[in-house]
């Protein structure tokens, strides 16, 4: 445990140790000045040994129970954190497009041009909070291992750019050696340990993937450890070009993986800063201006003020900042950053609904979706 009630455990230790030492010192001084009173105070200890032992034992048991409760909480927190760190590895943020098109499948991520990724990479090249950025494709498909007859209804298919993987975390075979994506052919792939266990797959097996337009066989070139780009769920790892060809998405991707500066745990401290930066880069300035013009109306501003009074903490502060930024003539980055915050979006839409401004709510909702 690192903190309790928001205070550092080291700080609490020193404070309690100081209070205990001060109390013992006061008792010692009083005992020296008033030895008779001290003897009267402690004489019941040898006289009532059973009661003394019972009291001491009770205090010890209560301390053990409290310590065990904190220890259980620590164990659960550590397990959750360890599982998250193992599953995500060096990845701190994943970027997906939210707008859908007629070509996008149900439950899948929207594709966007690889050129857009190159633009983003160039824009964050001098942003020291980001260590690495990599494009990718992520899909889910039913799979069958004909050799064993075992199947997986939702096998993750991940397309990774071999040029970017070196900076965001490499793959390791279960033997401990490096798994090189450059060595994969067009119909080859690595499979993570969990996927290999479920399908009982071995090197050389040909896994059949079922798609809407037919079945394709992928040869297993190696079994890799899970975590990071290899995923914590059953996952098949292909090169980005092979995944683009497999799903007929040449020149397109549907995800961007980002690693912050620092290790797997330390990098999360920069997530808020990186997220704000990315929201500004992906936001549509024209849509933000339209939202500003829509929201900066007397009735809507009154609804926002009323909603602000019902909120607490950061949500209230963000809505207050939003009202200030809306009053500016220009659409500043600070305003765009607030408008792209999902919590602010929810607060605004709730305020419009509570204020009976349904028409404005529908317009705002459409603009938020296109932002």
């Amino acid at each position: 445990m690192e903190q309790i009630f928001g205070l550092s455990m080291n700080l609490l230790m020193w404070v309690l140790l100081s209070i205990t030492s001060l109390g013992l010192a006061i008792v010692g001084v009083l005992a020296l000045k008033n030895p008779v009173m001290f003897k009267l105070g402690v004489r019941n200890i040898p006289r009532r040994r059973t009661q003394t032992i019972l009291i001491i034992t009770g205090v010890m048991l209560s301390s053990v129970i409290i310590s065990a409760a904190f220890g259980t909480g620590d164990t659960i927190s550590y397990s959750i954190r360890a599982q998250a760190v193992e599953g995500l590895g060096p990845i701190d943020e994943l970027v997906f497009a939210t707008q859908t098109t007629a070509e996008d499948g149900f439950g899948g991520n929207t594709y966007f041009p690889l050129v857009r990724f190159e633009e983003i990479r160039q824009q964050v090249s001098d942003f020291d909070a980001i260590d690495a950025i990599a494009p990718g494709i992520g899909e889910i498909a039913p799979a069958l291992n004909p050799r064993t007859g075992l199947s997986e209804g939702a096998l993750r298919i991940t397309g990774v750019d071999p040029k970017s993987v070196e900076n965001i975390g490499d793959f390791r075979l279960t033997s401990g050696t490096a798994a090189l994506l450059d060595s994969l052919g067009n119909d080859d792939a690595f499979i993570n340990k969990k996927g290999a266990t479920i399908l009982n797959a071995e090197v050389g097996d040909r896994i059949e993937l079922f798609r809407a337009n037919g079945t394709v066989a992928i040869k297993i070139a190696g079994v890799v450890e899970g975590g990071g780009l290899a995923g914590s769920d059953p996952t098949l790892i292909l090169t980005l070009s092979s995944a683009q060809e497999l799903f007929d998405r040449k020149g397109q991707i549907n995800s961007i993986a980002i690693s912050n500066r620092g290790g797997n745990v330390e990098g999360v401290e920069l997530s808020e800063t990186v997220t704000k930066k990315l929201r500004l880069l992906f936001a549509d300035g024209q849509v933000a201006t339209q939202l500003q013009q829509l929201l900066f109306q007397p009735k809507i501003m009154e609804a926002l003020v009323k909603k602000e009074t019902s909120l607490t903490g950061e949500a209230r502060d963000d809505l207050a900042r939003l009202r200030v930024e809306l009053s500016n003539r220009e659409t500043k980055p600070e305003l765009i950053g607030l408008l792209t915050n999902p919590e602010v979006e929810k607060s605004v839409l709730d305020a419009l609904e509570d204020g009976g401004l349904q028409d404005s709510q529908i317009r705002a909702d459409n603009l938020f979706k296109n932002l």
Side-chain angles (χ1 to χ4, degrees), residues 96-100 104-111 138-140 254:
F96 303 99
T98 56
Q99 297 179 7
T100 58
D104 296 321
F106 177 77
N109 297 322
T110 303
Y111 281 82
E139 290 284 359
I140 295 177
N254 65 4

Side-chain angles (χ1 to χ4, degrees), residues 13-315:
M13 179 191 70
W14 287 112
V15 170
L16 293 176
L17 184 60
S18 300
I19 294 174
T20 302
S21 300
L22 178 62
L24 292 175
I26 293 174
V27 171
V29 171
L30 292 177
L32 292 174
K33 290 185 176 181
N34 303 282
V36 175
M37 295 297 296
F38 177 75
K39 291 179 180 180
L40 288 174
V42 300
R43 68 178 180 175
N44 283 329
I45 295 178
R47 287 183 177 182
R48 296 178 174 84
R49 296 179 181 178
T50 303
Q51 187 175 1
T52 301
I53 294 174
L54 183 61
I55 292 173
I56 295 175
T57 304
V59 172
M60 290 174 61
L61 285 175
S62 62
S63 300
V64 169
I65 292 173
I66 294 174
S67 300
F70 284 132
T72 302
D74 287 350
T75 301
I76 295 175
S77 299
Y78 176 80
S79 299
I80 294 174
R81 174 182 289 185
Q83 187 174 4
V85 171
E86 181 181 356
L88 294 174
I91 300 175
D92 294 292
E93 292 88 25
L94 283 171
V95 180
F96 303 99
T98 56
Q99 297 179 7
T100 58
T101 65
E103 297 180 356
D104 296 321
F106 177 77
N109 297 322
T110 303
Y111 281 82
F112 53 94
L114 182 59
V115 176
R116 180 60 176 136
F117 163 77
E118 299 295 345
E119 294 173 353
I120 295 297
R121 179 162 60 181
Q122 183 64 32
Q123 290 171 324
V124 300
S125 59
D126 58 348
F127 189 50
D128 60 359
I130 293 179
D131 265 348
I133 178 171
I137 284 180
E139 290 284 359
I140 295 177
L144 170 69
N145 186 352
R147 183 182 64 83
T148 62
L150 298 176
S151 63
E152 167 57 41
L155 182 68
R156 297 191 63 85
I157 317 298
T158 300
V160 183
D161 181 14
K163 297 179 182 179
S164 302
V165 70
E166 297 178 0
N167 300 324
I168 205 167
D170 55 1
F171 298 98
R172 289 282 168 182
L173 297 172
T174 52
S175 61
T177 58
L180 303 177
L181 284 174
D182 288 330
S183 64
L184 295 177
N186 292 334
D187 297 327
D188 295 340
F190 294 123
I191 190 170
N192 68 358
K193 187 189 296 184
K194 189 169 184 178
T197 301
I198 291 177
L199 296 174
N200 194 16
E202 299 177 353
V203 176
D205 286 351
R206 301 191 72 85
I207 305 299
E208 294 183 356
L209 301 178
F210 298 90
R211 304 171 301 162
N213 57 350
T215 305
V216 62
I218 301 294
K219 182 181 178 181
I220 301 300
V223 180
V224 299
E225 298 288 347
L229 293 174
S232 56
D233 296 323
T235 304
L236 204 64
I237 303 102
L238 297 79
T239 61
L240 181 59
S241 59
S242 296
Q244 289 172 333
E245 183 177 350
L246 176 65
F247 297 106
D248 194 21
R249 293 289 187 170
K250 186 176 181 180
Q252 295 180 309
I253 59 174
N254 65 4
S255 64
I256 298 176
I258 297 173
S259 174
N260 297 345
R261 185 183 71 245
N264 294 356
V265 177
E266 296 80 9
V268 72
E269 297 177 0
L270 296 171
S271 288
E272 185 175 353
T273 301
V274 173
T275 300
K276 289 182 179 179
K277 175 73 172 180
L278 293 173
R279 285 174 177 166
L280 290 176
L281 295 178
F282 280 98
D284 189 322
Q286 294 182 350
V287 176
T289 301
Q290 295 177 32
L291 257 175
Q292 182 181 16
Q293 295 171 352
L294 171 65
L295 298 179
F296 189 59
Q297 298 181 36
K299 290 185 178 180
I300 294 180
M301 293 296 285
E302 290 177 6
L304 294 179
V305 171
K306 187 175 181 180
K307 182 63 178 179
E308 181 185 332
T309 58
S310 66
L311 299 175
T312 58
E314 188 175 349

